Amino acid sequence: MPDLGAFYNRTPELETLTTWILQEQCHLIAITGISGIGKTALTVQLVQQIKDEFEYVIWCDFDSSPILAEFQSNLIRIISQSEQLDLSTNNQKSLPLIKYLQKYRCLVVLDNIQNLFSSGELVGKYKSGYEDYRTLFKQIKELSHQSCVVLIGWEQPRIITEVKSENSLIRTLRLTGLDIVAAREIFRDNGLTEIDHWDAIIQHYQGNPFWLKSIANLMQDLGECEIEVLINDTLLLPEDIKDSLQQQCDRLSEIEKQVISLLAKENNPVNLVKLLENSKINSSDLINALQSLLKRCLIEQQGNFYTVLPLIKQYIESLNEV
């Protein structure tokens, strides 16, 4: 589990997750949100608070993208410890790992889960060789056991986003920005205490901790007064924010790139009818692309209207200027 240093208040989110895991005994929980929003930091804090309720707490970073056989074998070895390793199952249709999740109370966190999915496709399509994870998540969802698996990532398995029932043992927490009070702490931690327009800056950057830290660093390097004047006129795009957004936008399918570019040209939220009028995309493809972009947290929906986050709009416009 990473050591991420300072943690900024997420009390409501922590209470929600704790209730889902300890009281409602949820099997599978997805924590999603745009890059830098604080998904991993929140989960680290959650684990520290509830770890004593479990026999095993296992944190796996999927940066290395292990195939299911390797991942399952590693987890079973950790959980089994001195036991004789048993890869058989009572039910031939269930995976061996399920038996250990049934026998022991485990909290398993899978970070960077987006690495299981294909780039250049709509959200949640497994990479070749990783399709077996669909079976794992389905069994974690449906079979009886006493453990909880938490998935962290920009993208989530489609089995997560298909669930709408409140009675399901699957939950999704879409993380949004920090509130004003918590976000101000980022600037204070960076020694910036004399900013006149706290609230405006925080709102411009949607309370995203990574984006705010980047702007705070820029203020330290170049002078907070000069940067504050610039921020009042435009959204700044430091290179580390650009790199982060590029990682996400590079994963988009061609149809998603078309749709998000269309949205970025609009000054106001637009509905589906206007998008169809302004593009040559058929209605089915457009709806699928909008749904995928919403799941990636790159666009927002307000009633029947869609819009791009201001900083992402700025990033897309910067690409068109190159």
Side-chain angles (χ1 to χ4, degrees), residues 32-44:
T32 189
I34 195 167
S35 178
I37 203 69
K39 301 179 294 296
T40 299
L42 172 66
T43 311
V44 167

Side-chain angles (χ1 to χ4, degrees), residues 34-36 39 63 112 114-115 117-120 154-155 210-211 239-253 257 296 298 315 319:
I34 195 167
S35 178
K39 301 179 294 296
D63 269 346
N112 290 309
Q114 69 272 357
N115 290 318
F117 308 114
S118 294
S119 181
W154 314 328
E155 301 178 31
F210 174 68
W211 297 352
E239 286 303 309
D240 52 354
I241 294 181
K242 278 188 179 181
D243 290 344
S244 174
L245 292 176
Q246 182 179 348
Q247 287 182 46
Q248 284 196 264
C249 290
D250 282 352
R251 294 180 63 86
L252 299 181
S253 63
K257 290 177 182 178
R296 295 183 193 274
L298 291 174
Y315 170 72
L319 295 179

Side-chain angles (χ1 to χ4, degrees), residues 86 140 179 206 226 251 257:
D86 184 359
I140 290 170
D179 61 31
Q206 280 83 48
E226 288 80 359
R251 294 180 63 86
K257 290 177 182 178

